[in-house]
Amino acid sequence: MPAFTSATRSALPANGRPARRHAVRLSWRALEWWGVAIALFLLSGAVFPLLLMVQSGSLGDSERGVLRLLQIPVIAITVILLGRHLGALLLAIRRTLPMFMLALLAFTSTFWSIAPSITLRRAIALMAAMLLAYLLAIRFTPRQLLVLFSSILGACLGLSLIAGMLAPQIAFMPDDTGLRGIYTHKNVLGWAASLAFILALGLMADAGGRLFRRGVALLLASIACLVLSQSSTSLLAAITGLTLFGFYTLLQRKRGLARALLVLVALQLAALCLLFLGEFLVPVLESLGRDTTLTGRVPLWHLVDGYIGQRPWQGYGYGAFWSAANPAKYVIEETLQWIPPHAHNGYRDMLLNFGVPGLVLLMLTIARAIRRGGVLLCAQPEAGWAWMNVSIGVMVVLNLSESNFLAQNDIQSLMMMTVIAMFGLRAPR
């Protein structure tokens, strides 16, 4: 990141004696770097939620109210830094209209939400996160974003490993052996580690090799956190990221017919993989003696699908279904005998939030991003677009068993929105 700069001015006073005055000034560019770095750390879900949970024993309404105060500096930083780039902001919105319409849909859903106050509050937080994503896309290059995100996540992973050594009674799950580090749950650490794994691959593949050593250090930290967290979904995301990174590396090297053939083969393999998972996943799990319910997700999905069918076109309002104001939430908890924080499937949660129109907008947003990202990667292979393309693919896969689409205070969702905005701004018309 840029550091503080100092300027020395010389002046000649009336008595004729030379004198010097030392002034320290902070450049606007340095303010942008430090401002967005602070905002990203506040949105990372690290340290602060864990401290409140350890102090009170759980994250109740009062603790979540305190955490919402962290949004105030994020909003202030975004508004101040984005105020000088309104023209670029309007262009970015126009180039990523389906994604921006999802934010507007979050506000509109207040009118039919089963918990209007909760929907409105979360819609404001979502809009703040999306504006921050636009700011990142406008003011930073792909390589600069790679350094920025890897620095924040790398610091969080490093602190998590240190916490595991110095304060294991806090850093490990209370009823499990999994490491949660400076996060509230081992799965959150696993998600951060899977994203860091992708960023590490991007650092190691950076043109010129100047970021290779940093990439190796981040790769080792991410692997350690993936193993210690024991998060199966995050491990799957990391493996998916490695596979996609290999695909995009080949894609940027091929030309003409070979490139088209590679894309067709990849699509066919993806379709076969989905077909295999749909038909043979349960028998394979049974033969291996593993949990065929995917840690309770399958029964949860059956219950959620019933409620989606009750309001398929408008949903229940953004963020309202899993709130305390919804009686169905307690019915699901009583039936399952555990408390799901979400549907453990981002596509189902989109239907719960906005109904079919929201899911259509999401799929359109993802499809355009994949196409634009591929075009940019092939046109500018040395610009650092590979890790961005991989991050979109990993989010698509990760949300098959988790829920991170349009999360208002989530660094994974923020990264995805930033990548989509960057693709929209930089891709040819």
Side-chain angles (χ1 to χ4, degrees):
M1 293 183 183
F4 289 92
T5 60
S6 61
T8 304
R9 298 179 180 178
S10 301
L12 187 64
N15 58 14
R17 296 179 181 177
R20 287 189 176 185
R21 295 183 301 169
H22 297 275
V24 178
R25 67 182 180 86
L26 182 64
S27 69
W28 185 262
R29 185 56 177 165
L31 278 175
E32 288 181 332
W33 274 94
W34 285 105
V36 297
I38 293 172
L40 287 176
F41 184 77
L42 293 177
L43 291 176
S44 66
V47 180
F48 301 106
L50 178 62
L51 291 177
L52 289 174
M53 189 174 69
V54 171
Q55 183 179 6
S56 61
S58 63
L59 281 179
D61 293 337
S62 59
E63 289 77 18
R64 296 183 186 279
V66 174
L67 291 176
R68 283 195 289 270
L69 295 177
L70 297 178
Q71 298 176 10
I72 297 177
V74 175
I75 294 174
I77 290 170
T78 303
V79 171
I80 292 172
L81 297 180
L82 197 56
R84 300 177 52 164
H85 309 284
L86 295 180
L89 173 62
L90 293 176
L91 175 62
I93 291 174
R94 188 163 64 248
R95 297 299 305 276
T96 58
L97 193 57
M99 182 177 75
F100 189 73
M101 289 177 63
L102 283 171
L104 296 180
L105 188 58
F107 280 97
T108 306
S109 68
T110 304
F111 293 104
W112 61 79
S113 172
I114 59 175
S117 60
I118 293 176
T119 295
L120 180 60
R121 185 182 71 230
R122 295 184 176 179
I124 294 173
L126 173 63
M127 181 61 75
M130 190 170 291
L131 291 177
L132 177 59
Y134 281 126
L135 172 65
L136 291 169
I138 291 169
R139 297 299 299 153
F140 295 87
T141 65
R143 188 173 184 273
Q144 290 171 339
L145 287 176
L146 176 63
V147 172
L148 183 61
F149 278 106
S150 63
S151 298
I152 299 301
L153 287 175
C156 292
L157 296 189
L159 290 174
S160 295
L161 294 174
I162 293 174
M165 293 184 290
L166 300 181
Q169 69 280 6
I170 297 177
F172 282 84
M173 296 291 292
D175 55 349
D176 201 341
T177 58
L179 177 71
R180 66 183 179 186
I182 58 174
Y183 297 93
T184 57
H185 198 276
K186 66 174 186 178
N187 285 340
V188 184
L189 174 62
W191 300 336
S194 64
L195 288 182
F197 182 83
I198 298 168
L199 295 171
L201 295 177
L203 290 171
M204 294 170 64
D206 182 69
R210 289 175 293 176
L211 301 175
F212 183 81
R213 292 183 179 179
R214 181 184 295 190
V216 171
L218 183 59
L219 183 70
L220 295 176
S222 63
I223 292 175
C225 289
L226 280 170
V227 173
L228 293 174
S229 68
Q230 301 178 6
S231 174
S232 301
T233 302
S234 302
L235 182 60
L236 174 62
I239 295 174
T240 302
L242 181 61
T243 304
L244 289 175
F245 208 93
F247 165 74
Y248 282 112
T249 300
L250 288 175
L251 183 65
Q252 67 184 3
R253 294 176 180 176
K254 300 297 182 180
R255 296 291 183 274
L257 184 60
R259 178 179 291 168
L261 182 61
L262 176 63
V263 172
L264 290 175
V265 171
L267 291 175
Q268 291 175 355
L269 289 176
L272 289 174
C273 182
L274 291 175
L275 180 62
F276 174 82
L277 291 176
E279 295 293 331
F280 303 106
L281 179 60
V282 173
V284 169
L285 291 175
E286 288 179 345
S287 63
L288 295 176
R290 305 301 297 271
D291 183 11
T292 59
T293 67
L294 301 180
T295 323
R297 286 175 172 83
V298 175
L300 171 63
W301 293 338
H302 288 318
L303 293 172
V304 167
D305 289 344
Y307 288 104
I308 291 175
Q310 295 179 15
R311 303 182 70 167
W313 294 105
Q314 76 272 31
Y316 295 82
Y318 177 64
F321 185 85
W322 300 105
S323 67
N326 185 17
K329 164 185 166 64
Y330 301 103
V331 174
I332 292 176
E333 292 175 1
E334 184 177 355
T335 303
L336 298 177
Q337 294 299 302
W338 59 283
I339 303 176
H342 44 66
H344 277 284
N345 183 283
Y347 306 96
R348 285 180 168 88
D349 269 321
M350 288 298 296
L351 290 170
L352 290 174
N353 287 331
F354 309 122
V356 173
L359 183 61
V360 171
L361 284 175
L362 175 68
M363 300 309 295
L364 178 60
T365 299
I366 293 175
R368 294 179 69 183
I370 292 175
R371 179 181 62 82
R372 288 171 169 175
V375 170
L376 286 168
L377 178 68
C378 295
Q380 306 169 12
E382 303 299 323
W385 297 106
W387 73 270
M388 289 189 161
N389 283 275
V390 172
S391 67
I392 293 290
V394 169
M395 281 293 287
V396 170
V397 175
L398 185 64
N399 276 269
L400 292 173
S401 61
E402 297 298 337
S403 185
N404 301 100
F405 288 141
L406 294 185
Q408 64 271 17
N409 294 311
D410 184 271
I411 194 170
Q412 298 174 86
S413 177
L414 176 64
M415 182 186 292
M416 180 178 179
M417 291 188 292
T418 302
V419 170
I420 292 171
M422 177 72 80
F423 287 167
L425 277 172
R426 304 298 178 88
R429 292 181 180 275

